[in-house]
């Protein structure tokens, strides 16, 4: 019985403490709550703006990555390729400019050997279509197809010809591979 009385007294005291706030303190709490909510809304707006700006920035970076173009020039001919966003294409792009000999191979391709191997992780396989720029990993050569080639598991796609497809077969001697600026 004594425990029950103590419990009852404790419950009444708790009710009095929590229920006996003055109207001024209630208004103060409401004002604080409103101010905190406004601050959160302002913070949310700021974060939304930052995310929007970041998204625009990332979009610009993606556009820049999507427009990696290279020029392959000999004395009389030029071919422009647009590279894909693969690791192998980026590795090639980072090595430019290059000056080297172009070599015919078989009856459908011209090849050159960049000084460093290309990173083929996350790089799609090549279709082997005419006009594709590819990388044959066992030999470490970049391949410019002017006619169809059967695709295989060691042939990786780097990009596609944008202009000068008819000139691939005509390449000979020393070529310069450089970043294409459109000039």
């Amino acid at each position: 019985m004594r425990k029950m009385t103590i419990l009852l007294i404790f419950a009444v005291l708790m009710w009095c403490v929590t229920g006996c706030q003055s109207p001024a303190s209630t208004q103060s709490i409401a004002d604080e709550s409103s101010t905190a909510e406004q601050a959160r809304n302002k913070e949310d707006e700021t974060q939304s703006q930052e995310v929007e700006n970041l998204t625009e920035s990332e979009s610009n970076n993606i556009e820049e990555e999507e427009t990696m173009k290279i020029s392959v020039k000999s004395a009389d001919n030029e071919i422009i390729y647009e590279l894909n966003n693969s690791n192998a294409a980026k590795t090639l792009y980072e090595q430019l400019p290059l000056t080297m000999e172009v070599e015919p191979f078989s009856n459908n391709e011209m090849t050159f050997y960049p000084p460093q191997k290309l990173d083929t992780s996350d790089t799609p396989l090549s279709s082997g279509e005419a006009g594709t720029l590819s990388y044959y990993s066992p030999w470490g050569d970049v391949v410019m197809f002017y006619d169809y080639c059967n695709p295989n598991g060691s042939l990786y796609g780097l990009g596609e010809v944008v202009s000068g497809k008819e000139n691939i077969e005509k390449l000979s001697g020393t070529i310069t591979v450089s970043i294409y600026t459109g000039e």
Side-chain angles (χ1 to χ4, degrees), residues 11 20 26 31 37 44 50 60 76 95 100 114 130 136 140 157 179 183:
C20 295
T26 304
D31 290 347
E37 186 174 327
D44 288 346
E50 288 173 357
N60 290 340
D76 300 319
Q95 295 182 45
M100 62 197 59
Y136 188 60
I179 294 172
E183 298 171 2

Side-chain angles (χ1 to χ4, degrees), residues 44-60:
D44 288 346
E45 287 176 21
T46 302
Q47 287 176 346
S48 293
Q49 185 64 37
E50 288 173 357
V51 167
E52 188 175 303
N53 291 343
L54 182 61
T55 303
E56 287 176 18
S57 173
E58 287 173 345
S59 175
N60 290 340

Side-chain angles (χ1 to χ4, degrees), residues 68 70 80-86 88-89 92 123-135 142-145 156-162:
M68 288 188 302
I70 65 170
I80 307 300
Y81 289 95
E82 183 170 328
L83 302 182
N84 59 33
N85 288 321
S86 69
L92 175 63
T123 300
L125 293 176
S126 175
S127 66
E129 295 292 326
T132 59
L133 185 68
S134 303
Y135 178 69
V142 173
V143 182
M144 299 173 282
F145 289 109
Y156 295 92
L158 300 175
E160 300 290 330
V161 71
V162 174

Side-chain angles (χ1 to χ4, degrees), residues 76-134:
D76 300 319
N77 298 293
E78 180 178 32
I79 300 101
I80 307 300
Y81 289 95
E82 183 170 328
L83 302 182
N84 59 33
N85 288 321
S86 69
N87 288 335
K90 290 174 185 175
T91 306
L92 175 63
Y93 197 76
E94 291 167 358
Q95 295 182 45
L96 302 180
L98 300 171
T99 300
M100 62 197 59
E101 295 296 311
V102 67
E103 301 173 12
F105 185 80
S106 188
N107 59 353
N108 61 346
E109 63 191 70
M110 301 300 275
T111 65
F112 66 88
Y113 292 83
Q116 298 172 358
K117 298 271 185 190
L118 305 186
D119 175 9
T120 57
S121 64
D122 298 325
T123 300
L125 293 176
S126 175
S127 66
E129 295 292 326
T132 59
L133 185 68
S134 303

